[in-house]
Structure formats: C-alpha cells, structure tokens
Amino acid sequence: VPEGAAPGHTEAVGAAYPELGCLERDETESGHPEPITHPRTAFGISEHHINLTDDALRLCRDALDAVMRIFPTSPIHIGGDECPGHEWFRHGPTRERLAKLGITRPHEAQAWFERRICDHVTGAGREVIAWDEVLESNVPPEITVMVWRDADDLAKAAQLGHDVIAAPARHTYLDHGISTGPQAPVTIDAPLTMDDVAGLHDVMAAVDSPHLLGGQFQLWTEYLRTPAQVEDAAFPRGTSIAEQLWTGEPARQSTVVTAQTHRLAAMGVNLARMRRAQ
C-alpha cells in the first residue's frame, strides 16, 4: 500500500515550490524574493507544510493520480498525521480562504483538506487509508483508519463505522530499540521488548468489531542506515507480531520462539539475539 503523506510531512514541497508553502518571502539586498525554507534536516514534527490554495491542492491531486497509476489496484494511504496546522493562519491566501469558510481552528482546516483529498481518491474508485489524526477531522466512514497513537482509538474508530488497522506505537514501532545500554544501537526510543510486542494481542482482543481488519508493524529508518540494521530491528519482534496476526493467538514465550530464531539465523538474517529482548 503506497502512502503519500499530506498535508503534514510536506516541508520538502515548500522548499521545491515556495509558492505552495506557508512561509512568507524576504526581500534580499538585490531586490529578489528568496524563500526562507529548505528541505527538512532534523527529526521531529515539522511546523512547516503546504498551504491550502488551489495550486497546492492541485499538486496533491496530481501526485495521487500518479500514485494510482503506479499502483492500479491497491488502496491509497493519504497520510494525514503530524500536521500542527498553525501556519495556515499566518499565510495570507490560506487565511482568507479559511475565513470565508468560517474555519477558525487547525483541525477544522485539516478536515476541509482531507475531505477534498478523500473525495478525489474515492472518486477514482479507490479505497482510502489514513492515520488516526483524521478522526479529529470527521472524515467519512468509508475511510480506513490506521491507529498509531492511542490504542483506545481502535474502538473509537470502529464505533464510528471505520474499518481499522492496528498499528499502536507502544507495541508495533520496531524502529524503537529492543534494549537500552551502552552496547545497544542508537534509536529514536527504547526499549520496546518482546513483552511489549506481545501486548498487541490484548489490545486487539479488546476490540470486538468486524471493522478491525488486522494490524502491522512499523519500521521507520531514520536511524537504520544498512539492511543489516533493518533486520536487527525487525527480527524476532516482527516474527512475534506476524504470528499474533495470522493465528489470532497470544504471543509465545521468547524461549518457545527459539526454533524461529534458528531458522532466521540459518537464512543469514541479522536478527537481534534473544538475550537482548529479555
């Protein structure tokens, strides 16, 4: 499933096309306007993103059209996460548009944006997936919600009629290190142990709804520079998640997963050793 994140995660768009960002331009000594933004060079949630003008919406639609051509049968993930939205009310043309619409808060502005993006994708006959921030935007119930922030949002989304994918950070974000200490790799956070991963089963079992489609684990790679590092982060925790999702049963004890780890080792996978997960 391809993900084209918007309206957050778009600082690079503002760098490439300053007219589509929210930052104003400064006049230089030469009299030529220069953008005061650049591609993002740090981790964390950016305060900078695309504006809500017709040109910015057109770029988003064009990008999604290209993605839909490349992936002709897949659902389309539109992102929707990590967009503070305060910048919209400091950008003249966007502020004027929002004032005409009677919109006074960032989540209302994002709801307006998401509705247009969702309508574009569904209008092409495609299914839409979005991160759970869109629950604050009152998106239509036909949107599948991928929950990452708060496991309680799984039940909330299902009650609102959304199909739901479980991806709670506390149990499935494998870019978080499996251990801490001087010998552990540098990661965005740690530890997320085999016991933490095992908690996914209880989170999903608490949601009694046919709208719960399944789950996934995340493996963002800001700190993972080589394939070996990716494998170390993914296994054996990813094996535990896969077993839980396929079987519907609780995770097995780490000592029982030994056969799986032997199999991975025989395949040459650079898995994290079980002693680090305990």
Side-chain angles (χ1 to χ4, degrees):
V1 175
E3 178 185 349
H9 297 272
T10 51
E11 187 168 337
V13 176
Y17 305 99
E19 68 277 10
L20 302 185
C22 292
L23 293 176
E24 301 294 340
R25 290 167 172 264
D26 287 339
E27 291 291 334
T28 65
E29 293 180 0
S30 63
H32 298 295
E34 295 289 340
I36 56 173
T37 187
H38 53 76
R40 188 156 180 80
T41 57
F43 299 146
I45 298 175
S46 174
E47 293 286 339
H48 306 309
H49 38 70
I50 58 172
N51 59 47
L52 299 182
T53 62
D54 288 339
D55 287 341
L57 287 168
R58 187 177 302 112
L59 178 137
C60 292
R61 294 186 181 110
D62 288 346
L64 287 168
D65 286 344
V67 170
M68 287 189 282
R69 287 193 297 270
I70 296 169
F71 298 89
T73 60
S74 171
I76 303 298
H77 199 312
I78 62 169
D81 63 323
E82 298 184 335
C83 183
H86 305 295
E87 224 179 28
W88 287 325
F89 296 91
R90 298 193 295 268
H91 178 250
T94 297
R95 186 173 61 246
E96 292 174 10
R97 163 167 269 176
L98 296 178
K100 291 179 181 178
L101 294 169
I103 292 174
T104 59
R105 292 181 290 181
H107 78 271
E108 295 171 338
Q110 182 166 347
W112 180 87
F113 172 88
E114 302 292 357
R115 172 68 71 166
R116 274 137 197 83
I117 295 302
C118 289
D119 287 349
H120 182 73
V121 177
T122 57
R126 306 294 287 276
E127 298 177 49
V128 175
I129 302 173
W131 292 109
D132 62 59
E133 279 92 335
V134 300
L135 292 174
E136 304 163 10
S137 304
N138 298 316
V139 291
E142 61 267 25
I143 304 307
T144 297
V145 176
M146 187 172 284
V147 173
W148 75 277
R149 294 181 300 174
D150 189 338
D152 290 342
D153 283 339
L154 290 167
K156 175 183 176 182
Q159 290 167 1
L160 292 172
H162 297 281
D163 284 342
V164 188
I165 298 169
R170 188 69 195 89
H171 305 288
T172 66
Y173 270 51
L174 302 190
D175 54 320
H176 294 192
I178 195 170
S179 64
T180 57
Q183 303 303 318
V186 175
T187 58
I188 190 170
D189 197 6
L192 196 150
T193 68
M194 288 289 284
D195 288 340
D196 294 323
V197 165
L200 177 64
H201 175 267
D202 291 341
V203 166
M204 296 183 66
V207 182
D208 183 16
S209 173
H211 285 295
L212 182 58
L213 302 182
Q216 70 170 31
F217 67 73
Q218 287 60 238
L219 192 48
W220 314 113
T221 57
E222 292 97 326
Y223 290 87
L224 306 176
R225 297 178 178 273
T226 68
Q229 289 175 317
V230 172
E231 291 178 352
D232 180 84
F235 300 105
R237 293 180 298 176
T239 301
S240 176
I241 292 175
E243 285 192 350
Q244 292 177 63
L245 294 176
W246 279 109
T247 67
E249 299 294 329
R252 296 187 288 171
Q253 294 293 324
S254 296
T255 54
V256 183
V257 188
T258 302
Q260 290 282 20
T261 59
H262 286 172
R263 184 176 295 112
L264 291 167
M267 294 168 61
V269 174
N270 186 54
L271 72 154
R273 301 305 173 193
M274 297 304 294
R275 61 178 176 79
R276 288 174 47 196
Q278 299 177 7

